Amino acid sequence: MNAVARILEWPTDEVEENPLAPWSSALWDSATLARVMKGEASGAFTVSGVEIDSRDVQGGDLFFALKGETMDGHRFVEGAFAKGAAAVVVDRPVDGPHILVTDTTEALELLGAASRERARGPIIGVTGSVGKTGVKEAIFAALDRASRGDAHRSVKSYNNHVGVPLSLARMPARARFGIFEMGMNHAGEIAALTRQVRPNLAVITTIAPAHIEMLGSMEAIADAKAEIFEGLEAGGTAVIPADSPYFNRLKEAALASGAQVVSFGKARDADVRLLDAVPAIGGGSLVTIDMGDRRVCYTVASPGEHHVINSLAVMAAVRGVKGDLGAAGVALAEMGGLPGRGARLQIDVPGGEPDVDGRRPALLIDESYNANPASMRATLEQLGRTPAHRRIAVLGAMKELGSHGPDYHAGLAGPIRDAGVDYAVLVGQEMEPLAEVLAQALEEGRISGELGKSAGDPLGKAVPFAHCLTVGEAVDALRRFGLERDDVILVKGSNSVGLASLVNALDKQEG
């Protein structure tokens, strides 16, 4: 089978003239800013970036003094200028270059809309219950490589009512591709975002019980994610998961918006179908897919079936905007886990025999940014496949599950057992149902041992654990347990639990 992805030649099309933003470092000029934001410029100036947090301002930025429920960005105007802001957007006159507007939040949305209007290449929107940031980053890496740096994307998780227009406003006029992430926790939120982004291609990664507390059912979650199709440009493409139980629901929503549907997954009739995935030398997976008219083989650096399936969405999106599949394959092969989203860190630990260099290395898997029942199961499954001296799982509470929370948390006992976890640290009050299940298994194992009988634990191996209410308690629990050389430590939980600080503490400790 000839399954080789090749990198196409660099594009040679002529540079298009764009009167709004010449091919220079200037992102916006004051005249254009005043016009599109319906404001008044204090004078002539140009800006090279856009920022809403005065702490992150860099030289040449345009700082928006946004108002929140408890904070007013106008308090930080002087600080923004001190850090090198070229100008600010305000609703009252200030000393220094500025655009005076009626409402700074509305002005940001207007600037985002103007940026979308001047875009000269296809725009991609990405949403989903799990994996949207990783898929967005992989699509960007592929298109940025092939366009020689002329792709743009939303950074971090700027996927809400402020982050989306901010990300749009930052897009250079020369960008040949734009990739934007859209998130939600209530119905109607993605509908508002997608009408700002107006994607030519929209991706839904998967449907899982994230934010079910606010939405009430899995069907409602699928409908909320499908709102992304409402903003599709005419002739747009919808990329959806063929293996999802809600595939037909998503497909109907996409077709109702006039989209061309492209499916991805393991399903036999998927347009981008997984044929094979085997462990790759050095980690990750060697993947072979069928794209209808061709088969493509590439490597996915991040281990785990969920990353393999996400790679199919990446390939479908890149092809959908006439991108370079070879460059996409290279990007997937080079792209490791993101901080908080699968990054693999080698840390030094105090226990075990040192290696020839006198170190005691262990592997820390950082999944501290987000968690829901589907991603928890997938990550625990991958933990079970990872060679280890011992497997330790530090699991934080899964938020926004509402009345479903106790069952979803208790339901992690099976995946923990199947992963061969040697010690678990549970963090957060919501983990109490899981702690009860694990405690019952330990007690049944103890009684069986005292009676000289084989354990009748329906969960199989009983897993020792500690249940902690705070991250500080979890750090202490790990110290008491004693990490050893060649241990693998998975850290995963909702961002609000704060497990990123535990990751930092482990990464900085000395062996």
Side-chain angles (χ1 to χ4, degrees):
M1 176 178 59
N2 182 13
V4 179
R6 63 188 182 88
I7 299 180
L8 306 179
E9 295 181 358
W10 294 121
T12 57
D13 51 320
E14 296 181 1
V15 173
E16 300 175 17
E17 293 186 1
N18 191 321
L20 270 179
W23 291 74
S24 69
S25 60
L27 181 64
W28 297 100
D29 63 73
S30 56
T32 302
L33 289 170
R35 175 173 57 81
V36 302
M37 293 191 294
K38 302 176 182 179
E40 181 180 345
S42 63
F45 56 82
T46 61
V47 300
S48 55
V50 181
E51 188 52 74
I52 60 172
D53 188 332
S54 63
R55 296 168 297 183
D56 296 331
V57 166
Q58 299 182 12
D61 278 351
L62 175 69
F63 172 69
F64 275 79
L66 301 182
K67 289 182 177 179
E69 293 182 1
T70 59
M71 192 68 67
D72 186 348
H74 292 80
R75 293 171 49 193
F76 307 103
V77 165
E78 289 187 10
F81 278 128
K83 294 200 69 174
V88 297
V89 179
V90 291
D91 63 12
R92 67 203 71 163
V94 297
D95 293 332
H98 64 272
I99 303 289
L100 182 62
V101 299
T102 302
D103 185 297
T104 53
T105 300
E106 180 184 352
L108 180 60
E109 293 176 357
L110 289 172
L111 186 59
S115 182
R116 176 62 183 92
E117 191 64 34
R118 75 179 182 180
R120 71 191 197 104
I123 301 297
I124 298 172
V126 182
T127 192
S129 301
V130 184
K132 54 185 175 289
T133 300
V135 167
K136 178 257 299 181
E137 289 293 325
I139 294 172
F140 166 76
L143 297 176
D144 197 56
R145 173 183 293 274
S147 65
R148 290 184 286 188
D150 279 344
H152 172 79
R153 95 293 203 185
S154 49
V155 298
K156 302 179 183 177
S157 289
Y158 284 4
N159 59 19
N160 62 8
H161 66 288
V162 174
V164 167
L166 172 63
S167 299
L168 283 166
R170 289 172 166 175
M171 182 166 58
R174 69 175 185 276
R176 297 184 57 175
F177 301 97
I179 309 96
F180 299 92
E181 179 181 334
M182 288 173 256
M184 63 89 198
N185 51 26
H186 292 85
E189 291 178 344
I190 286 181
L193 299 177
T194 190
R195 292 190 176 99
Q196 295 180 56
V197 175
R198 292 164 42 208
N200 302 101
L201 182 144
V203 179
I204 294 180
T205 58
T206 190
I207 303 299
H211 314 302
I212 197 169
E213 178 182 14
M214 284 74 170
L215 292 156
S217 70
M218 293 295 295
E219 290 78 11
I221 293 173
D223 292 343
K225 296 298 183 183
E227 291 173 9
I228 194 172
F229 305 136
E230 297 176 16
L232 272 175
E233 292 285 271
T237 301
V239 177
I240 58 177
D243 304 324
S244 171
Y246 308 97
F247 170 75
N248 288 330
R249 198 178 191 96
L250 298 176
K251 182 177 179 180
E252 290 174 5
L255 292 175
S257 297
Q260 173 190 351
V261 175
V262 176
S263 60
F264 67 92
K266 296 185 289 185
R268 193 166 189 83
D269 56 352
D271 298 305
V272 179
R273 181 164 67 99
L274 177 65
L275 296 178
D276 192 29
V278 297
I281 297 175
S285 304
L286 182 63
V287 180
T288 304
I289 63 174
D290 186 346
M291 304 191 76
D293 63 343
R294 70 187 69 184
R295 291 185 174 186
V296 182
C297 184
Y298 56 91
T299 298
V300 176
S302 297
E305 183 178 290
H306 52 302
H307 289 298
V308 170
I309 298 300
N310 284 345
S311 77
L312 273 62
V314 173
M315 286 295 193
V318 169
R319 190 177 198 191
V321 295
K322 297 180 171 56
D324 183 344
L325 293 178
V330 174
L332 288 165
E334 293 181 347
M335 184 177 171
L338 303 171
R341 292 184 169 88
R344 295 187 159 222
L345 309 173
Q346 288 291 330
I347 64 171
D348 290 321
V349 295
E353 291 296 321
D355 60 19
V356 293
D357 297 320
R359 297 183 59 239
R360 298 177 179 87
L363 175 62
L364 173 62
I365 303 173
D366 177 13
E367 289 269 2
S368 60
Y369 188 81
N370 208 351
N372 60 51
S375 65
M376 276 285 201
R377 288 174 179 271
T379 309
L380 284 166
E381 180 181 347
Q382 183 53 41
L383 174 64
R385 295 176 179 173
T386 304
H389 167 51
R390 298 177 304 178
R391 297 181 180 91
I392 296 94
V394 182
L395 305 179
M398 300 178 289
K399 300 294 187 177
E400 298 183 0
L401 296 178
S403 61
H404 304 271
D407 288 341
Y408 278 129
H409 284 92
L412 294 177
I416 288 172
R417 172 209 62 192
D418 294 342
V421 171
D422 295 284
Y423 184 64
V425 179
L426 315 179
V427 188
Q429 184 62 47
E430 295 92 334
M431 281 292 184
E432 182 64 32
L434 175 57
E436 292 175 358
V437 174
L438 296 181
Q440 181 181 358
L442 284 170
E443 179 62 16
E444 290 177 356
R446 183 188 65 79
I447 294 173
S448 296
E450 290 177 353
L451 296 176
K453 300 178 180 179
S454 60
D457 172 24
L459 291 177
K461 173 186 174 183
V463 180
F465 73 96
H467 183 203
C468 308
L469 297 181
T470 68
V471 173
E473 292 177 9
V475 173
D476 291 339
L478 285 175
R479 287 175 178 156
R480 289 193 300 271
F481 174 71
L483 297 177
E484 297 181 356
R485 174 185 168 186
D486 296 328
D487 282 346
V488 175
I489 307 100
L490 167 66
V491 180
K492 186 168 181 65
S494 291
N495 187 41
S496 60
V497 177
L499 290 178
S501 61
L502 181 144
V503 171
N504 290 334
L506 293 179
D507 193 26
K508 292 177 181 178
Q509 75 176 1
E510 297 182 0

